[in-house]
Amino acid sequence: MNRHKSSGANRNVRLAEQIQKDLAVLIQREFDVSRSGLITLTGVDLSADYAHAKVWFTVLGAEPETAAATLNEKAGWLHSLLFKMLHIHTVPTLRFFHDDQLARGIEMTQLIDRANRPEDYPDSVDPLPDTKDDRK
């Protein structure tokens, strides 16, 4: 009896993954890298009724705002191409958002690395002083 609830959630996940794969192919094939940069899709969040999709992306070689504007400008066109690829009744409207989690992760890693470098703290006490045994 519980299977019916989970199958809807699983369908949502499978559909989001398929949308992400198909959009990635379309963007790679149809977009000019020199204008929009190298765009990588990191995730798709679908509404429960499949009417709306938030598409998350990262970009190299362009400003995130420029890439987002280009993607959102072409969202209707991508929607129509996606409609031809997917054989479902409702293809969601697309909205693109820059995913800054990767940049935040890199920043946190750099902060941790900086905090763990003892040479950055000349006044700190060496935690393991060189103790020589002077007894003979």
Side-chain angles (χ1 to χ4, degrees):
M1 301 212 181
N2 235 355
R3 291 185 297 195
H4 296 292
K5 279 187 177 179
S6 64
S7 67
N10 287 338
R11 182 173 191 266
N12 191 307
V13 170
R14 286 192 321 267
L15 184 56
E17 288 173 352
Q18 188 62 48
I19 289 171
Q20 181 176 345
K21 288 177 189 176
D22 290 346
L23 279 175
V25 169
L26 290 171
I27 290 169
Q28 179 185 12
R29 188 177 66 205
E30 303 291 339
F31 279 62
D32 181 21
V33 175
S34 64
R35 180 174 178 227
S36 59
L38 183 60
I39 295 169
T40 303
L41 301 182
T42 59
V44 174
D45 296 330
L46 276 178
S47 63
D49 61 356
Y50 308 121
H52 305 283
K54 287 183 178 180
V55 183
W56 299 94
F57 72 92
T58 60
V59 63
L60 289 173
E63 290 298 319
E65 297 81 19
T66 304
T70 302
L71 288 167
N72 284 310
E73 175 183 304
K74 301 288 185 180
W77 177 67
L78 288 169
H79 177 269
S80 66
L81 294 176
L82 200 56
F83 184 77
K84 294 173 185 175
M85 294 175 80
L86 296 172
H87 301 287
I88 58 175
H89 184 270
T90 303
V91 175
T93 57
L94 305 171
R95 293 193 54 212
F96 293 89
F97 299 91
H98 179 251
D99 186 358
D100 63 349
Q101 288 184 5
L102 181 64
R104 285 189 298 185
I106 291 170
E107 185 179 314
M108 292 301 291
T109 301
Q110 290 172 343
L111 287 172
I112 291 168
D113 289 344
R114 217 176 307 141
N116 288 330
R117 269 188 254 140
E119 64 271 5
D120 289 345
Y121 305 101
D123 295 336
S124 65
V125 176
D126 189 7
L128 297 172
D130 189 20
T131 54
K132 293 182 182 176
D133 191 6
D134 291 333
R135 292 180 280 168
K136 290 188 183 182

